Amino acid sequence: MAQIRDTENQTIIPLRSHHTFGRSGDRTDTLVSSPITSRIHLALEWDGQRWNARDLSKNGTWLGTTRLLANENTPLQAGDMLHLGSPDMPPLKLIDDSAPFSALLGAGHAPSLTLQSFVFLPDQQTPEAVVSYSYQQRSWVVRSMDQDTSAQSSDILHHGDRLSYGDMEWQVFLAETQQSTEISQTPENSIEDIEFVFDLSQDEENTALHLKLTNRELSLGERSHHYLLLHLARQRAMEAANGFDGKSQGWIDNDQVKKDLGMDMPHINIMIFRARKQIAESMDDSFDSELLVERGKGRMRFGGSQFQIFKGEKLAFALPPPDAP
């Protein structure tokens, strides 16, 4: 992660892709309280390959002993020293000139975590919440495992927010000033382009999942969360066979899902998010995994409209049905 050190107090500052320094606490990313510093004094910008410094001040900025040209980009590299307002001021030292990235910055004994497609908090084994990117809301969001409502029941994360789970705490660090620029806004794969093939053992103890896409096939092995997807898909296929239309078929009340699977809602949510995570990562995050399981008020359904369910060697359910034109 790109970082700069304030040599006056030895504070380490992670850098956003467009990071400003100055005396105005509400208009800059990092406050510099010196009276000879301008309200917005300096901008550091990542251009995709390197960092550049741009002086925006009245009193000037020095790179070592050289004063920067006002409002012009000057390339930087690790080890460079920037003096704000005077060459005698304690410098800001660029200690890491790598690309910026978003993360959850751990406080105390909490580990810092890179923001990826799914981050379980406080850990993978006993998650209480999950942080993920929502294509619908164009933002990073956090969802509690206790949620019993729609996919929109989530909190949008903003730069600087704090999250506490278990006995650990994190601060949200968003490298991009525009959240939506960090992840592709147009997923390459639609759920309508995926055929889900479930292989269920006769005793229904093991469920494997295979994905068929236009140009490739993916085997996802056996996982416990595949059975949850199969259970929802089977309900959708049965209702389709009974004449339910595409918008109506497959919805199951959450209480019924809990009864069918013998699980509480936090456990069911963990399985849903693990299924979303596995499929999203297998497709290189080029798929909007929120569509995998659709959520409504107090109900859910499988989002795929093309699937086959084999029990043993026999095709048990399919959508569309095998005899459909």
Side-chain angles (χ1 to χ4, degrees):
M1 174 182 286
Q3 296 177 330
I4 204 162
R5 176 187 289 126
D6 184 338
T7 61
E8 184 174 23
N9 53 31
Q10 300 306 311
T11 302
I12 302 297
I13 304 162
L15 294 176
R16 307 183 77 186
S17 59
H18 177 90
H19 199 108
T20 54
F21 298 80
R23 218 164 18 91
S24 176
D26 59 348
R27 297 173 60 194
T28 59
D29 295 296
T30 298
L31 175 67
V32 180
S33 58
S34 168
I36 64 173
T37 302
S38 296
R39 290 181 179 276
I40 303 178
H41 193 104
L42 172 70
L44 299 185
E45 298 174 302
W46 175 255
D47 66 7
Q49 297 182 328
R50 64 186 181 187
W51 286 96
N52 295 283
R54 186 153 51 92
D55 175 52
L56 305 171
S57 70
K58 292 181 179 180
N59 293 332
T61 300
W62 280 257
L63 175 57
T65 58
T66 303
R67 183 168 180 166
L68 300 183
L69 296 175
N71 208 32
E72 290 193 12
N73 285 335
T74 300
L76 299 177
Q77 60 183 1
D80 281 346
M81 302 279 195
L82 293 162
H83 306 261
L84 278 59
S86 164
D88 298 323
M89 291 296 292
L92 300 172
K93 181 179 181 180
L94 184 62
I95 58 175
D96 187 333
D97 63 355
S98 60
F101 59 85
S102 295
L104 299 178
L105 303 179
H109 65 285
S112 292
L113 305 168
T114 301
L115 271 184
Q116 301 171 340
S117 55
F118 291 87
V119 180
F120 293 96
L121 299 177
D123 54 51
Q124 289 263 16
Q125 288 68 42
T126 56
E128 297 175 24
V130 61
V131 174
S132 61
Y133 187 81
S134 169
Y135 286 98
Q136 279 92 41
Q137 299 182 74
R138 296 292 187 258
S139 300
W140 291 99
V141 299
V142 59
R143 296 188 177 99
S144 170
M145 291 303 175
D146 291 328
Q147 76 168 21
D148 199 20
T149 55
S150 71
Q152 298 300 316
S153 178
S154 58
D155 292 325
I156 293 177
L157 295 179
H158 303 92
H159 182 70
D161 286 351
R162 292 189 175 274
L163 301 174
S164 297
Y165 293 99
D167 61 347
M168 292 188 280
E169 182 177 355
W170 293 265
Q171 184 174 27
V172 178
F173 177 82
L174 300 180
E176 299 289 341
T177 54
Q178 296 289 330
Q179 296 181 33
S180 59
T181 62
E182 232 176 308
I183 290 184
S184 169
Q185 295 306 291
T186 308
E188 297 175 8
N189 296 285
S190 165
I191 195 167
E192 301 302 325
D193 300 326
I194 304 171
E195 182 179 15
F196 298 81
V197 181
F198 297 93
D199 285 309
L200 179 65
S201 63
Q202 287 288 356
D203 58 6
E204 300 206 3
E205 290 294 321
N206 303 95
T207 310
L209 178 58
H210 190 81
L211 305 183
K212 293 183 178 180
L213 293 84
T214 303
N215 56 357
R216 57 178 170 154
E217 297 187 9
L218 299 170
S219 179
L220 303 186
E222 294 184 0
R223 299 287 190 278
S224 58
H225 51 253
H226 294 165
Y227 186 78
L228 168 64
L229 299 182
L230 180 147
H231 179 70
L232 298 177
R234 180 160 51 188
Q235 179 71 20
R236 183 163 184 170
M238 290 190 295
E239 293 188 358
N242 288 328
F244 285 65
D245 62 58
K247 292 183 179 180
S248 303
Q249 60 194 219
W251 289 102
I252 310 179
D253 288 343
N254 291 348
D255 287 340
Q256 185 63 49
V257 177
K258 290 187 282 187
K259 181 179 179 181
D260 293 343
L261 300 181
M263 300 176 184
D264 59 19
M265 188 50 64
H267 192 181
I268 291 170
N269 282 329
I270 289 171
M271 295 180 74
I272 290 173
F273 284 114
R274 284 179 174 163
R276 287 174 172 170
K277 181 177 189 293
Q278 184 193 21
I279 292 176
E281 291 180 349
S282 71
M283 299 175 67
D284 302 320
D285 294 320
S286 63
F287 165 65
D288 185 358
S289 60
E290 286 185 25
L291 303 177
L292 183 65
V293 176
E294 299 179 39
R295 308 294 291 266
K297 188 175 182 179
R299 60 181 189 164
M300 68 181 72
R301 75 166 180 172
F302 182 64
S305 60
Q306 295 187 78
F307 56 84
Q308 294 180 311
I309 299 174
F310 289 88
K311 190 168 184 179
E313 299 292 326
K314 182 180 178 181
L315 179 63
F317 298 93
L319 193 68
D323 55 351

